[in-house]
Amino acid sequence: MTLPYEARVAVVTGGSSGIGLSTVELLLSQGARVALCARGEGRLKDVVSVLARDHGADRIISRAFSVLDSDAVNAFAADVEASFGRCDLLVNNAGQGRISTFEETTDEAWRAEYELKMFSQIYPIRAFVPMLRQSKGAIVAVNSLLAYQPEPHMVCTSSARAGVQNLLKSLSLELAPEVRVNSVLLGLVGSGQWTRRFAEREDQSMSREEWYGNLARKKGIPLGRLGDPSEAAAAIAFLGSHAASYITGAQLDVSGGLARHI
Ligand code: NDP
């Protein structure tokens, strides 16, 4: 796949693992300069040293902080502007899902989940919008099919994700015509979250292939497997590029056919 990212600058939150890391790699390979962040400094340093070796250190900025720290997000935007002078794409990817039913979810957990889902969008968008307006850039939010297809065992994640879709739709109107705002709706993608759940599997004798295969069957994924992070990255990079120049306020389902709504 070739996408027009030469001379472009992209920001990817949660870029040290899984879908975020795959997106960073793809954007670098398409010629972009990329700024990435994550909380864990050690892992971020490790991945950046490999990325710098493969793509050049001068094309990468990395900072360790939580996207829920608005001052740190603003400082990151200032660093991107000082070093790269522009921002063409913001990929809001940082985060994780919460597994709990309504009965199990405490008030504190509800607040934490809503804070993560909403402010992991709000703070970076607020910080990068001035640059995105100038470059006529794009925002791509990494969201979940749970927004439209809630699951009782992920009750607060599902409802918070629906709120995020609503916010993105409003933003696609408020930020038009300068900035396009789209999202990808993921089903099950075999990245960090599923690697952790695989490590905690009940039957430790099961191989990764067997466990993932069973999971895909149990969930009824028509394509019969979990997605690869690179497949999510391809959709993100498409929506963020000029190849999608007439697309805003849209969501692209990357779920192997798991979406049941029309
Ligand atoms: P990973 O765990 O592999 O990667 C998550 C990345 O986000 C890591 O780099 C992590 O680094 C970073 N991160 C997490 N929280 C924060 C934070 N508060 N501030 C900054 N960085 C943060 O997960 P995935 O690649 O699977 O997930 C990527 C996104 O896709 C997430 O938002 C997830 O909820 C969503 N998603 C994933 C699905 C899947 O099946 N994989 C399904 C639906 C949605 P660190 O921990 O060091 O901060």
Side-chain angles (χ1 to χ4, degrees):
M1 180 172 66
T2 307
L3 288 167
Y5 274 103
E6 286 296 337
R8 309 264 157 202
V9 171
V11 170
V12 180
T13 69
S16 68
S17 168
I19 294 155
L21 177 56
S22 236
T23 304
V24 169
E25 285 169 336
L26 177 56
L27 294 170
L28 284 168
S29 75
Q30 299 302 305
R33 286 174 290 167
V34 177
L36 63 150
C37 71
R39 293 164 304 179
E41 198 158 11
R43 182 165 61 174
L44 188 61
K45 249 183 160 168
D46 290 347
V47 305
V48 168
S49 74
V50 176
L51 294 169
R53 184 198 63 204
D54 295 347
H55 301 281
D58 58 332
R59 293 177 56 205
I60 302 162
I61 296 174
S62 67
R63 297 285 182 271
F65 62 87
S66 170
V67 287
L68 300 184
D69 176 347
S70 62
D71 290 342
V73 175
N74 290 337
F76 184 46
D79 284 351
V80 170
E81 186 156 33
S83 301
F84 290 159
R86 60 186 294 134
C87 174
D88 301 275
L89 169 62
L90 169 64
V91 180
N92 278 334
N93 162 78
Q96 61 191 33
R98 162 177 284 278
I99 298 179
S100 63
T101 62
F102 183 78
E103 203 172 331
E104 292 158 355
T105 311
T106 62
D107 290 357
E108 202 184 320
W110 275 103
R111 289 200 181 92
E113 186 63 359
Y114 266 74
E115 185 184 5
L116 175 62
K117 294 296 177 289
M118 300 309 291
F119 284 95
S120 63
Q121 302 295 328
I122 293 167
Y123 290 149
I125 290 172
R126 198 182 274 148
F128 284 95
V129 147
M131 275 187 277
L132 290 168
R133 277 194 196 279
Q134 255 186 343
S135 64
K136 300 210 179 327
I139 295 165
V140 179
V142 178
N143 206 356
S144 165
L145 189 55
L146 293 170
Y148 292 89
Q149 211 159 281
E151 298 232 14
H153 73 287
M154 294 188 80
V155 67
C156 65
T157 289
S158 299
S159 76
R161 289 197 178 284
V164 167
Q165 282 308 108
N166 193 291
L167 167 68
L168 296 170
K169 196 68 170 176
S170 294
L171 285 172
S172 71
L173 303 175
E174 184 171 333
L175 301 181
E178 290 92 0
V179 183
R180 296 182 300 106
V181 183
N182 295 296
S183 61
V184 291
L185 298 181
L186 305 180
L188 280 67
V189 175
S191 52
Q193 302 196 60
W194 287 106
T195 304
R196 285 191 292 278
R197 289 172 199 168
F198 166 67
E200 291 158 11
R201 68 198 178 285
E202 267 177 32
D203 179 357
Q204 288 284 326
S205 71
M206 265 190 157
S207 70
R208 189 183 164 95
E209 286 63 39
E210 285 170 335
W211 192 80
Y212 272 28
N214 278 353
L215 183 61
R217 267 191 298 282
K218 201 173 102 195
K219 296 281 181 185
I221 300 174
L223 292 188
R225 61 179 177 85
L226 269 65
D228 187 82
S230 64
E231 295 173 306
I236 295 164
F238 164 68
L239 284 174
S241 77
H242 280 320
S245 54
Y246 201 52
I247 302 178
T248 195
Q251 56 267 343
L252 184 49
D253 156 18
V254 186
S255 71
L258 190 57
R260 296 284 181 263
H261 59 275
I262 295 174

